Amino acid sequence: MQSIARNPLLETKSALRANLLATREAQGVRADQGARGEALARRLMEVVARYPKASCIGFYWPVAGEFDARDVLTVWLALDASRKAALPVVVAPRAPLIFHAWQPGAAMKKGRYGIPVPAEERVVVPDLLVIPCVGFDADRYRLGYGGGYYDRTLAGWPGGLTPATIGVAF
């Protein structure tokens, strides 16, 4: 029988991820309420404003206590009718994400993993991404959920130039 080599870095990341998710859940942070959510919304608006040339922002549908960026995107869209927003769609396990256009009030359907996606399957390519994080460190390295979807997506970005990214976490 062959032994499997252990990777301490992966074990540490897994433990950190589990700890951060448990802490977020224990705090009872809800995306639609609270001073922390309001402060994060203001901060996200400030950061998005640093990208005045952005015409399409890809963001995420909130799950499991994540910050809900939909109100921020709704305001951003209302400021300029030419702007677009988009949500990620998992087309297959371990495949890069694609993005479907989204607007407030858009019809939604259940996507892979039960996460809502736009019912209209109009593919767009964002030039700015708002990405959910479980956490991040002082050097701004993102700790995600461990599936690698955003890593694969950014590595194979259309045109070879990756978009600016904004990581969001409580």
Side-chain angles (χ1 to χ4, degrees):
M1 180 182 273
Q2 186 178 20
S3 68
I4 298 173
R6 292 173 40 154
N7 184 331
L9 180 57
L10 289 178
E11 290 175 9
T12 302
K13 283 178 71 174
S14 294
L16 179 58
R17 181 179 295 112
N19 185 317
L20 289 170
L21 287 170
T23 300
R24 182 169 75 188
E25 185 177 322
Q27 290 174 345
V29 174
R30 290 205 29 202
D32 60 350
Q33 69 181 26
R36 289 177 56 183
E38 292 169 11
L40 190 48
R42 284 191 301 274
R43 179 75 176 125
L44 181 56
M45 284 295 290
E46 292 168 5
V47 174
V48 166
R50 295 180 189 167
Y51 299 92
K53 293 183 180 180
S55 62
C56 182
I57 296 179
F59 71 111
Y60 59 92
W61 192 272
V63 297
E66 292 175 334
F67 170 73
D68 187 345
R70 289 176 290 178
D71 288 344
V72 171
L73 269 291
T74 297
V75 169
W76 182 81
L77 288 168
L79 295 173
D80 184 337
S82 69
R83 292 176 173 172
K84 295 179 182 139
L87 289 169
V89 177
V90 176
V91 293
R94 307 196 56 75
L97 301 165
I98 63 169
F99 289 83
H100 287 171
W102 173 87
Q103 60 187 8
M108 304 294 286
K109 65 182 181 182
K110 189 180 287 191
R112 195 173 294 271
Y113 307 117
I115 300 171
V117 297
E120 182 182 347
E121 297 179 0
R122 188 165 40 99
V123 175
V124 296
V125 179
D127 47 18
L128 178 63
L129 292 180
V130 175
I131 300 175
C133 301
V134 173
F136 47 91
D137 67 15
D139 294 323
R140 300 182 183 163
Y141 286 100
R142 171 185 180 263
L143 179 65
Y145 289 91
Y149 282 97
Y150 280 100
D151 294 332
R152 285 188 294 279
T153 300
L154 291 170
W157 198 257
L161 296 175
T162 58
T165 58
I166 300 169
V168 177
F170 280 108

